[in-house]
Amino acid sequence: MTADDVLRAARTRAKILDGFARAERALFTRAAPKSARAQMKFLGKREKGSTKSLAERLGVSRKTVQRYLSGASTKPNKRLQEALVQETESEWQPQVRAQARQRAASSGGLVISCRAYFGLGPEGTSDAGRVRDITGRRHPLPRGRHPRRAGGRCDGERSA
């Protein structure tokens, strides 16, 4: 596997994880805090009021956290703003998130949808390339039926 392939795989993985995060955010029953102060207060509660641990988590000084909590600072720099949004969304409504994951795990499986360009012919012909939406369903295996766990073989594997 070349370095280019590794980079491409990492980008694909990041897109998939970002899609999962967007899907989870769509399930929230209330909007996450928007202002830097509200986000700091929310995260401060999650850290049980410890400004030291919150500062370590966000990668800033303890004094910076105290300034935002007191209202002395209101406009975070770009890096801090990204950290606040990421940390707030990762902690926001954990019970709603857990219920959604439980429903997804016990439902009819996973639906994968993507867009792809198909076609080999020249422009203007019926064989010309077109963008197509592809949707595939992956049904979960019944408990204990996973080939590797049950001692079975997957496609292409040989017995020893």
Side-chain angles (χ1 to χ4, degrees):
M1 196 175 222
T2 66
D4 220 21
D5 293 338
V6 171
L7 187 60
R8 191 175 304 118
R11 283 191 200 127
T12 302
R13 213 173 8 262
K15 285 180 184 178
I16 291 169
L17 292 175
D18 185 48
F20 284 146
R22 280 195 318 267
E24 280 184 336
R25 282 194 301 268
L27 297 171
F28 291 155
T29 56
R30 292 184 302 144
K34 298 285 185 221
S35 72
R37 183 175 185 199
Q39 290 170 335
M40 285 280 190
K41 285 176 74 172
F42 170 73
L43 292 171
K45 287 180 186 175
R46 292 288 186 193
E47 294 291 332
K48 297 183 174 96
S50 171
T51 55
K52 182 180 179 183
S53 63
L54 179 56
E56 288 173 5
R57 185 174 174 179
L58 295 173
V60 295
S61 70
R62 188 176 192 170
K63 189 75 172 164
T64 301
V65 171
Q66 291 169 345
R67 278 194 296 261
Y68 280 98
L69 289 173
S70 69
S73 293
T74 56
K75 285 274 197 183
N77 62 28
K78 188 175 180 179
R79 189 188 59 74
L80 177 57
Q81 180 63 40
E82 289 172 358
L84 281 170
V85 169
Q86 181 180 353
E87 292 296 324
T88 301
E89 286 182 354
S90 72
E91 293 279 335
W92 189 248
Q93 292 191 333
Q95 291 174 338
V96 171
R97 192 180 307 236
Q99 289 170 356
R101 287 181 179 166
Q102 180 61 37
R103 276 194 310 272
S106 63
S107 71
L110 178 70
V111 176
I112 301 171
S113 179
C114 69
R115 282 189 153 202
Y117 183 84
F118 292 100
L120 302 171
E123 267 317 300
T125 66
S126 62
D127 292 335
R130 297 183 191 109
V131 174
R132 297 282 187 235
D133 290 322
I134 302 168
T135 303
R137 294 190 179 275
R138 301 291 303 167
H139 298 287
L141 293 170
R143 286 197 183 269
R145 297 289 303 187
H146 192 277
R148 293 197 191 278
R149 290 188 200 136
R153 293 189 311 268
C154 291
D155 292 342
E157 286 186 358
R158 287 184 254 161
S159 58

